[in-house]
Amino acid sequence: QRCLSLIKSTKFLNAYITVAEETALKQAEESEKRYRRGQPLGVLDGIPIAVKDNFNTAGIETTCASNMLKGYISPYNATVVQKLLDQGAVLLGKTNLDEFAMGSGSTDGVFGPVRNPWSYSRQYKEKSVPKSHSEDKDSNWVITGGSSGGSAAAVSSFTCFAALGSDTGGSTRNPAAHCGVVGLKPTYGLISRHGLIPLVNSMDVPGILTRCVDDAAVVLGSLAGHDPKDSTTIQDNFKLFELPNLTDVSKLSIGIPKEYHAPGLSSEILALWSKAADLFKNAGAKVIEVSLPHTRYSIVCYHVLCTAEVASNMARFDGLEYGHRSDMNKSTESMYAATRREGFNAVVRGRILSGNYFLLKQNYENYFIKAQKVRRLIANDFVKVFGSGVDILLTPTTLSDAVPYTEFIKEDNRTRSAQDDILTQAANMAGLPAINVPTALSERGLPVGLQFIGRSFQEKQLLTVAKWFEKQVKFPTIQLEEVKRHDHGVFQHQKSGNLKQISKP
Amino acid sequence: MAAAAARGCGGVWRRAWQRGAGGPAPRGQRALACNVRAGAVPAGKSGLAPWVPVVGLEIHAQISSNSKLFSGSQVQFAAPPNSLVSFFDASLPGTLPVLNRRCVEAAVMTGLALNCSINKKSLFDRKHYFYADLPAGYQITQQRVPIAVNGSLSYSLCIDNKMSQMVTKTVRIKQIQLEQDSGKSLHDDTRSQTLVDLNRAGVGLMEVVMEPDMCCGEEAAAAVRELQLILQTLGSSQAVMAEGQLRVDANVSVHHPGEPYGVRTEVKNINSIRFLAKAVDYEIQRQIEELESGRTILNETRTFDSKLGCTVPMRDKEEKQDYRFMPEPNLPPLILYDAKSLPANMNHQQVVNIDWIHERLPDLPSVKRAKLVEQYGILPEHSFTLLNEDGLTEFFEDVIKQTQMKPKKVIGWILKDLLSYLKQYSLTVKESPVSSFLLADLLNHLEKKEISSTAAKQVFAELWKGEGKTPLEIIKEKKLQLIQDQKDLEQICQAVIDGQENEVMAIKAGNRKVLNKLIGLVQRETRGRSNPVLVKQLLEKKLSE
């Protein structure tokens, strides 16, 4: 209930597309009863969770922030949603995103951009010097990053304890970095994609956004494992783990891939990155510079593969079985064309066009096949580095802190995505687990995060290291003054954000 | 334009005939000429090198399985529209394909039966095109690495119409690939709307690609018939063409010997084996006529109009399609195992073991035929007829088990009497009113010489009425027993001799043929109840007295 009222008071953030008030209250009630009977369903029972609006939720609208699916109510739950509900989690609502998860700002959805909660924090207001147009306070708000910006904002603004995002090229880690939360992209195949409306099937993974690493581990534990409905999930049963409190990092070998010193990397983040490396070194870990030589080709190939699959995946939206259908009825073909023109925004249409171009018979070899080959090289780079004894890679998550919306929209979606995914998409190309850990505040008082990339299916090791790091950096809590006025008391309760420490309110 | 008019359908064959000597040889004759004889078709009056027709086939066989290729919805013919559609079949966003093991096994079985090498690793691809009955906008198929490759199929056909001379030919099988079926569109032109039924969408298909090793409609038809029998024997497909479980597209071209293949056309919409032969022969003739009139063949898709007996260009496929193939990212490579590669700890239910399937293959039609010929001493062509009718072999063998009559004689009853009755009444073997038990019973009476074969045919006709009488009851009722009392028979013979003075004179003069007439008269007198051998003896004895 507190979360629901908090959602209302933070409505201006535009984090949610749909708030499932009624069903959430009902679920909370049921959970309450279970607790009274002393039979909770598990650690997640009664825990309020938000889900990105590209996961199917039975009975609750699933829009992908697109006209194409506005009003679409799915008849089934995505496997991850079902797993959460089965464990008693309370589904608060569906969070905002870029249309069909195509973007890195959460600015290109049909429901409008998501505002970064940190725009309204005391930290940001104190540090960002109001410029000439200071009277226009509202124009200073910064973006959340994307495409899971709604989920990141929801977690960051305390409206839920955890949120599901999706991560295809960085869509969970990028907004997590900008919103100062933990964003975990698990290994491809560890969590079922069934019910996640795909962007790129071969790279998509459900992402987990929480306020601390321990929470991410708990949510991961409840979602991971084989799903007969997703043939790409691993067959072996996932072993639940609890994260140990690492005290000794001396046996660890941390790799610093030099190629991640990418053009455009802000000096602030560069400094933070080397500070983090020093942190490990000083604690006794082995820190070595490593090379992933094919990294620089990664983003280009990512775009070829991404758009090709987008072109294919979007083919089903033809207005026949579901979703938007144009009134145009001259012929089936003209209906298709009008439906798709009206249903998709320019970004989606652009990616469909380029994807189809890459898949044309005369281009297939030169683009798609080549990109796939390079993808293999990129994956092999990681295999080599991990084979050489490196346990975890440490990199920045983003090139800089979040930029104001007015700044962000000066560049088109394609340019932005190419810049913003540059440090994150390689992990998707290789299918590796990666996590953003909020590290510090920038000079402007905005969160900055660093990324850890781990070995395939070695989430436990990755999260353990991330947890140790999280403990060292002591990332500050967001001071949401405006909201605090409305909801006094909630914050004391939720500050720690640790699921296991929070009993039912 | 004359040719075009002639092809304009409706009485095509007649008009072609009427053109007579001036034009190319009439179609009917040409088509016959092509039959089997190495495939070369003599050129028309032009006197150039003969034409060689080349025919390849693409056959889609619907897999006989409880559920679809990638979803759990049921497979059933003629169910109410859209009643067998899962979320995946309707391409709801977020749904993923899950491969049906049964379909994989059916394809492996079929591949083995067609002497293919089975790929232990095969891949799935997406083939994109927009069509109302293709909900996802792409079909999942196996374009790059199909499940089975490089096989062959032997089939036989008769050289003349009398089923007496069979030749065996072989067609190479290029590949067998697994793929999804599409839904069905119904166009309502009066209300200008299209209705879509997705019951068929996602049903598993095996696409069997036959190399262009055939040269006429008869060969194509015989090859497909053999394939159909194999599929039905394996149970991998019900392969009923009328229900669309077996769909055949024919690629046809003609060229001169020693020259490269001609431009080919693809003929679709062929829904019976008979029409396949017709469509292919028509298309061969059409192409020859086009070329001989100095025109060219377009690489196009044509449809067979069974009512008009000709092929016509398909309108909606004019645009060249680029299918933009792409690997299906939601399905890992399909891995099959054999006894050697099977991991020890693998759950048997989870893997497909090629060797295991191989060991359990049923006898294929060719083996069954050979066994029939060997076991029962029947003619090879009879074995073809037995296998061609569903259930006839079983019927034949059941009769043999229950009668003392020799199989060689039984086969005559099966093929001449039973089969012609079935054909006349358009019944299947299962629907026959005369069961194998009744026929065996009847044949036993015949074998014991209780009735003549003429009488036996009468009994059979009575049994066909299905009134529930036994052969014995009918024999008694109609008084068809052979006259066992020799004195009675002698009297009848004497009466016949007495009444036919001229004939008796002729016989005595040495014309033995006339004796048959007397035998016939005795038969008539006894209403078929006399044993002709005995009658002959008696007559001869009396005439020599």
XYZ file of all heavy atoms in Angstrom, chain A residues 26 56 191-192 206 210:
45
model
N -4.877 -7.094 -3.773
C -5.391 -8.438 -3.534
C -4.249 -9.393 -3.220
O -4.324 -10.190 -2.281
C -6.103 -8.915 -4.797
C -7.405 -9.649 -4.523
C -7.965 -9.998 -5.849
C -9.279 -10.640 -5.917
N -9.631 -10.749 -7.359
N 4.986 -10.406 -20.693
C 3.558 -10.696 -20.706
C 3.040 -10.919 -19.291
O 3.637 -11.643 -18.504
C 3.281 -11.952 -21.536
C 3.289 -11.660 -23.014
O 2.286 -11.209 -23.568
N 4.426 -11.881 -23.656
N 17.935 -17.786 -17.371
C 16.557 -17.427 -17.033
C 15.700 -17.512 -18.290
O 16.112 -17.097 -19.367
C 16.478 -15.996 -16.463
C 17.308 -15.894 -15.184
C 15.043 -15.600 -16.183
C 17.150 -14.579 -14.468
N 14.498 -18.030 -18.127
C 13.601 -18.217 -19.267
C 13.208 -16.890 -19.909
O 12.906 -15.918 -19.225
C 12.340 -18.941 -18.813
O 11.368 -18.896 -19.829
N 16.202 -11.671 -19.356
C 15.515 -10.875 -18.344
C 16.563 -10.301 -17.401
O 17.486 -10.997 -16.996
C 14.629 -11.900 -17.622
C 14.490 -13.035 -18.593
C 15.793 -13.081 -19.330
N 17.730 -4.061 -8.595
C 17.478 -4.013 -7.153
C 18.335 -2.909 -6.553
O 19.135 -2.289 -7.243
C 17.874 -5.351 -6.480
O 19.223 -5.642 -6.827
C 16.962 -6.481 -6.922
